[in-house]
Amino acid sequence: HALVIGSGLVSFEVCDLLRQRGLAVTVVMREKYFGEPLLDEQTGGLVEKAFEKIGVKIIRETLVEEVMGKKSVEQIKLSSGAIISGDLILASIGMIFNLAWLKQAGLDTGRGILANQCLETSLPDIWTAGDCAEYQDLVLGDRIQLFNWMHAQKQGLTAGANMAASRLNAEKTAFSLVSCYTSFSAGINLAFIGDTRPNTQKNTVLQGDPATGSYAKIFTRQNVVVGALLVNRTKEIMGIRKMIEKGEKI
């Protein structure tokens, strides 16, 4: 029996894989619905129905208070007082960055390490890339921090090139990339393009019908396309990416 803690995208993919291996799966999450706040309630509900269809049990608005067992996991105790037996725990509950030592060394920090569009930090000859980089995004015109392998890879290349350019007194290269990543599980393909951050000032344009399980939520700011969440519509990814790159209005 696998106990999956949290409702992040890692949980989305892991639950399906565990069921394919024949394990019983229970998801314990503090959120009201799966994927909150990255997913809206409608899309989160769609994922939950797909999970329940393949036999995944979901426990909402609950915390894990204690893990019990002698040499290995045997049970967990929930904030509701309930005790669930299980022999495997997988956690997908987000990240907290330990930046105190960097701040003490003089680096400017926010949630991550603050950097300009070239991934250069507030201290000379110090650069940042990957999940910890909170950088000035030229495409979206905002300071953002993203957590996906595509950004980590491309930022590493950019930071390395700019380190060399700095030593050679050559022109530095600004990092510019429209974020795009997909996640597939339980028959549902989710695609996140550009700015899909929750709780930011964006308008939503709906394409398709959620009742059919195939739809797109395109996010705009002052009628300019800045991001999109696609559900089972992967063919539209490249077109929307180009719209964001060009700053097209709709």
Side-chain angles (χ1 to χ4, degrees), residues 44-249:
L46 184 71
V47 172
E48 289 184 7
K49 287 180 181 178
F51 273 176
E52 290 168 350
K53 190 174 180 179
I54 64 173
V56 175
K57 183 179 179 182
I58 300 173
I59 300 175
R60 304 168 185 82
E61 298 185 78
T62 305
L63 299 177
V64 175
E65 287 193 343
E66 185 180 355
V67 176
M68 297 176 285
K70 295 181 180 178
K71 294 184 178 180
S72 61
V73 176
E74 296 177 6
Q75 295 176 320
I76 59 171
K77 182 180 178 181
L78 306 182
S79 54
S80 62
I83 294 177
I84 303 176
S85 297
D87 48 18
L88 174 65
I89 290 180
L90 296 101
S92 176
I93 55 176
M95 293 179 285
I96 296 176
F97 297 96
N98 178 13
L99 302 176
W101 63 284
L102 294 171
K103 191 172 183 178
Q104 187 176 11
L107 279 176
D108 290 343
T109 62
R111 184 186 179 193
I113 300 171
L114 299 183
N116 61 19
Q117 67 272 19
C118 295
L119 303 176
E120 189 174 15
T121 70
S122 58
L123 294 180
D125 297 326
I126 303 294
W127 310 76
T128 184
D131 292 354
C132 63
E134 188 175 349
Y135 69 100
Q136 186 64 34
D137 188 284
L138 295 180
V139 177
L140 302 179
D142 196 4
R143 189 182 294 279
I144 65 172
Q145 188 177 11
L146 292 171
F147 314 105
N148 63 69
W149 68 266
M150 179 186 289
H151 262 69
Q153 182 185 53
K154 297 294 185 182
Q155 285 180 354
L157 291 171
T158 301
N162 285 335
M163 290 176 191
S166 179
R167 284 286 178 251
L168 297 171
N169 293 318
E171 186 176 352
K172 300 184 184 73
T173 302
F175 176 75
S176 182
L177 177 70
V178 175
S179 173
C180 177
Y181 58 100
T182 61
S183 189
F184 180 79
S185 182
I188 298 177
N189 197 315
L190 301 177
F192 303 84
I193 310 169
D195 189 359
T196 58
R197 295 172 298 167
N199 306 322
T200 55
Q201 304 247 335
K202 296 189 292 287
N203 295 316
T204 302
V205 178
L206 177 66
Q207 286 190 324
D209 184 0
T212 67
S214 175
Y215 57 95
K217 294 192 174 183
I218 300 174
F219 306 121
T220 67
R221 191 176 291 114
Q222 296 180 340
N223 296 326
V224 176
V225 180
V226 296
L229 166 62
L230 308 183
V231 181
N232 295 324
R233 294 171 81 100
T234 53
K235 291 181 179 180
E236 299 176 11
I237 291 176
M238 292 308 298
I240 293 175
R241 283 190 71 181
K242 288 180 180 178
M243 292 178 74
I244 297 172
E245 287 175 350
K246 294 177 181 179
E248 291 188 5
K249 291 188 175 184

